[in-house]
Amino acid sequence: MTSFDSSPTLTAWRALLAIAVVFVMLATTGWTAVRHQHSAEPREIALASWAKDRIAGQSLPDVGAPAYRLAHFFAALTAGQQVALADKYPLVVGNMNGAPVTLRYRANRHALEQAESAEEQRTQDVRLSPDGHHQAVRRLDRFRSLLAGDRQILTFDPSGRGRAAEVFGDLDRAERISVVVPGVDTNLLTLERSGAKENAAPVGMARSLYDAERSASPASRTAVIAWADYTAPAGLGMDAALGGLAAEGALRLNALVKALPGTSDVSLFCHSYGSVLCGVAAHGLPSRVSDIAVAGSPGMRADNAGALHTRARVWAMRDGDDWIEDVPNLAVGGLGHGADPVDPAFGARIVSASGAIGHSGYFEPGTESLNNFAAIGVGAYDSVSCASSDAACHREISGESGA
């Protein structure tokens, strides 16, 4: 729901949910089960090779091992051995929770260079359809953009629609870490935008939040992650009304947070379908996650904040002209995402989104929505502007009460 700025009608949403019910019934009876053959992606090939390789006489670890074990493995290597692995297996090391952050940046730069070269060749393929050529050019432009300057790419996988994450600030030395979790239509091609919609895309959201946090607390060392490292729903189809992709994404988000360096507090800023993901992830998040803030949420797949089973403070906002307000808050047979987080009965701290415009305007500079996110991100809770109607937010703003 990140890229949708206009408002679908309520009737359209109800029709969508009705159609989704039919698809769910068909899927559960096996009528829609279709298997697609596909050629191996570059990362699949790299993973297969990694599994057979050795270094310094020992086998390479299982990439699915806990982050602390992978961290121990890399700590036992020399700097030269670390670099050798990153250069040989960039698509593995660059996406490996537990590997040193700076090594992942190096690996992902190599992976992007390889992807750029392959995509440039693909743009010359005369067998591509006009649409295929257009998509290849767009991907090539994205890879070149991510390679520009000294960008800190924490994850990168060009497979399928692609996934990535970018860091603003010094992640290793940060005293506070914020993670921006975007919504529908998040992929490599929508990772960043330019012009008026810049701050409606994951990279723009994170950069805007980073700048606002530095303004809110210049003395604090902060880092912000634009986390587009999950498979998001494509458009407002059945996947957007279900929680399957949120559940898969929650596993990836939990793995990321558990592997972050240091012991600093972590805040999650979850937009639209990203808030569904954060709601599903909440119960498994480590205790260092101090805050979960949602904006433009269709629901968190929970009846109330207590049902999230998290010790983190839960914050919610929605501006007055966000079309998400028209989406029915229901949960029937897995369809829909449940209660509205800005309903006082939900139990979140409801904060002001004054100045935000539409569904994608929460990270615009000068808005109370962004200022509130920044205050939460740096732990300046006394600076948060509560929604005028939420007495509980004002009463609990000091954090003395549980979330």
Side-chain angles (χ1 to χ4, degrees):
M1 298 172 188
T2 295
S3 63
F4 288 83
D5 303 310
S6 59
S7 170
T9 65
L10 183 58
T11 300
W13 263 100
R14 286 175 173 157
L16 168 65
L17 292 174
I19 293 170
V21 169
V22 174
F23 272 99
V24 169
M25 293 176 66
L26 292 175
T28 55
T29 56
W31 291 8
T32 60
V34 179
R35 297 185 181 275
H36 299 280
Q37 298 293 328
H38 68 281
S39 57
E41 296 278 9
R43 187 162 186 268
E44 293 177 350
I45 297 172
L47 287 169
S49 180
W50 171 278
K52 300 174 183 177
D53 208 348
R54 302 172 68 85
I55 192 168
Q58 63 174 320
S59 299
L60 300 183
D62 183 348
V63 295
Y68 72 88
R69 291 185 183 174
L70 295 174
H72 179 76
F73 165 77
F74 280 100
L77 299 178
T78 66
Q81 289 170 334
Q82 290 184 5
V83 168
L85 281 179
D87 291 352
K88 185 176 182 180
Y89 296 106
L91 282 172
V92 179
V93 176
N95 294 284
M96 185 174 286
N97 291 318
V101 168
T102 53
L103 190 67
R104 292 177 67 172
Y105 296 160
R106 177 190 178 97
N108 285 320
R109 176 161 287 275
H110 279 291
L112 277 161
E113 289 169 348
Q114 292 174 0
E116 177 193 28
S117 177
E119 205 66 34
E120 187 170 23
Q121 293 181 29
R122 189 164 173 266
T123 62
Q124 307 303 316
D125 191 339
V126 296
R127 297 169 298 177
L128 287 178
S129 66
D131 181 64
H133 180 265
H134 176 67
Q135 292 300 311
V137 170
R138 290 184 66 196
R139 283 170 62 89
L140 179 59
D141 287 344
R142 174 63 64 247
F143 299 152
R144 287 174 173 170
S145 175
L146 292 174
L147 281 167
D150 297 321
R151 298 181 68 168
Q152 300 177 138
I153 307 304
L154 186 65
T155 64
F156 170 71
D157 182 358
S159 305
R161 292 189 293 136
R163 297 194 291 250
E166 182 172 8
V167 175
F168 296 89
D170 189 335
L171 196 57
D172 281 318
R173 299 178 63 247
E175 298 168 328
R176 305 276 307 197
I177 297 174
S178 298
V179 182
V180 174
V181 183
V184 160
D185 273 346
T186 294
N187 55 60
L188 275 177
L189 294 183
T190 61
L191 182 66
E192 53 189 351
R193 299 168 75 173
S194 58
K197 298 300 181 182
E198 176 184 359
N199 298 318
V203 166
M205 291 177 177
R207 183 186 293 112
S208 183
L209 179 59
Y210 178 63
D211 290 343
E213 288 184 352
R214 294 179 69 189
S215 295
S217 182
S220 297
R221 294 195 304 270
T222 65
V224 179
I225 302 173
W227 190 75
D229 192 31
Y230 80 104
T231 300
L236 296 178
M238 184 172 65
D239 281 337
L242 296 171
L245 293 180
E248 294 173 8
L251 295 175
R252 299 183 67 85
L253 180 61
N254 276 315
L256 165 83
V257 175
K258 290 174 181 176
L260 289 174
T263 58
S264 56
D265 283 353
V266 176
S267 300
L268 306 181
F269 297 92
C270 318
H271 178 242
S272 198
Y273 189 85
S275 69
V276 182
L277 190 160
C278 288
V280 177
H283 74 279
L285 292 168
S287 59
R288 68 186 295 189
V289 176
S290 58
D291 301 275
I292 301 173
V294 303
S297 174
M300 300 180 74
R301 300 191 78 83
D303 292 334
N304 51 60
L308 294 173
H309 302 293
T310 177
R311 297 175 61 185
R313 300 175 185 86
V314 180
W315 310 80
M317 68 170 71
R318 185 175 64 220
D319 74 76
D321 57 359
D322 187 336
W323 58 258
I324 205 75
E325 183 177 7
D326 294 331
V327 175
N329 290 105
L330 52 80
V332 180
L335 294 169
H337 305 305
D340 186 350
V342 298
D343 184 336
F346 186 81
R349 294 171 169 84
I350 308 172
V351 299
S352 172
S354 178
I357 299 175
H359 186 58
S360 302
Y362 294 96
F363 291 83
E364 287 295 332
T367 59
E368 281 195 10
S369 53
L370 178 61
N371 292 340
N372 279 331
F373 277 167
I376 293 167
V378 299
Y381 302 115
D382 288 341
S383 299
V384 174
S385 300
C386 297
S388 58
S389 61
D390 186 24
C393 175
H394 290 279
R395 185 171 61 250
E396 300 174 0
I397 203 72
S398 66
E400 294 176 359
S401 299

